[in-house]
Amino acid sequence: MKNRAIILCAVVFSAIGFAFSSERQKAENFSFAEYNAKCAVPTFNQSFQNAKSVFIGEVISDKKNGDVRTFKFKAEKYWKGSNAKNITINAYETMRYQAWFKVSGKYLIFADEIEGKLRVGRCSRSKDLKQAKDDLKLLGKGKKSL
């Protein structure tokens, strides 16, 4: 009887582990389009108005500390916020949201601020630069980062 209970516990925990690893794998394989299809992304005007920083940048580093992933961007151009060349953005990750930025990738970032730190969340308007044509038209020329 004791052995059956141990085996049952092992089976249950294995199934739970498999489910979590499958969900993680699904999150890692999401394309940007699939990601946004499951999220109510704010309009351009709402995103710009609520953003503390709006810029184009290339990810130069990615570090994970607990549930927070920190990305360092080399900013090229900005419309709102700091004119700094390097900008740090945090993303709080959960089972439902894994930050999708990749080192060497270029992105249009709409970042808000929480507790003095810039961040993007699950329904941010931030996107791969290749998919930002319409937003870039609305943003206009922008300013070169220092």
Side-chain angles (χ1 to χ4, degrees):
M1 186 69 169
K2 198 175 198 180
N3 286 341
R4 285 186 183 166
I6 291 171
I7 292 170
L8 179 61
C9 285
V11 169
V12 169
F13 286 120
S14 293
I16 291 170
F18 177 75
F20 281 123
S21 68
S22 295
E23 287 302 312
R24 171 91 179 171
Q25 187 65 35
K26 285 180 197 171
E28 289 173 353
N29 290 334
F30 259 176
S31 72
F32 180 77
E34 290 170 319
Y35 165 76
N36 268 345
K38 298 176 188 286
C39 196
V41 176
T43 66
F44 172 84
N45 288 334
Q46 290 170 324
S47 294
F48 189 81
Q49 183 178 10
N50 294 333
K52 179 74 172 179
S53 182
V54 177
F55 66 94
I56 291 174
E58 178 181 347
V59 177
I60 56 177
S61 72
D62 167 9
K63 293 184 181 172
K64 179 121 169 115
N65 184 9
D67 292 336
V68 177
R69 187 171 296 274
T70 301
F71 298 92
K72 190 175 201 179
F73 287 85
K74 179 180 176 186
E76 297 175 5
K77 189 184 283 191
Y78 74 100
W79 289 266
K80 194 172 182 181
S82 172
N83 65 351
K85 194 66 169 173
N86 292 314
I87 299 175
T88 301
I89 302 290
N90 290 323
Y92 178 75
E93 295 186 317
T94 66
M95 286 300 295
R96 295 192 66 183
Y97 172 70
Q98 299 292 308
W100 43 268
F101 303 118
K102 303 288 182 213
V103 173
S104 299
K106 288 189 179 185
Y107 304 92
L108 173 61
I109 302 295
F110 289 82
D112 57 6
E113 184 178 51
I114 298 220
E115 298 176 359
K117 295 183 180 187
L118 292 175
R119 70 159 190 114
V120 294
R122 182 170 176 256
C123 297
S124 168
R125 193 170 182 89
S126 298
K127 55 185 74 176
D128 189 293
L129 192 57
K130 294 172 193 160
Q131 298 173 339
K133 184 179 173 185
D134 293 339
D135 284 357
L136 290 171
K137 276 185 188 176
L138 294 170
L139 285 167
K141 188 177 177 183
K143 302 170 204 154
K144 191 169 179 106
S145 297
L146 297 179

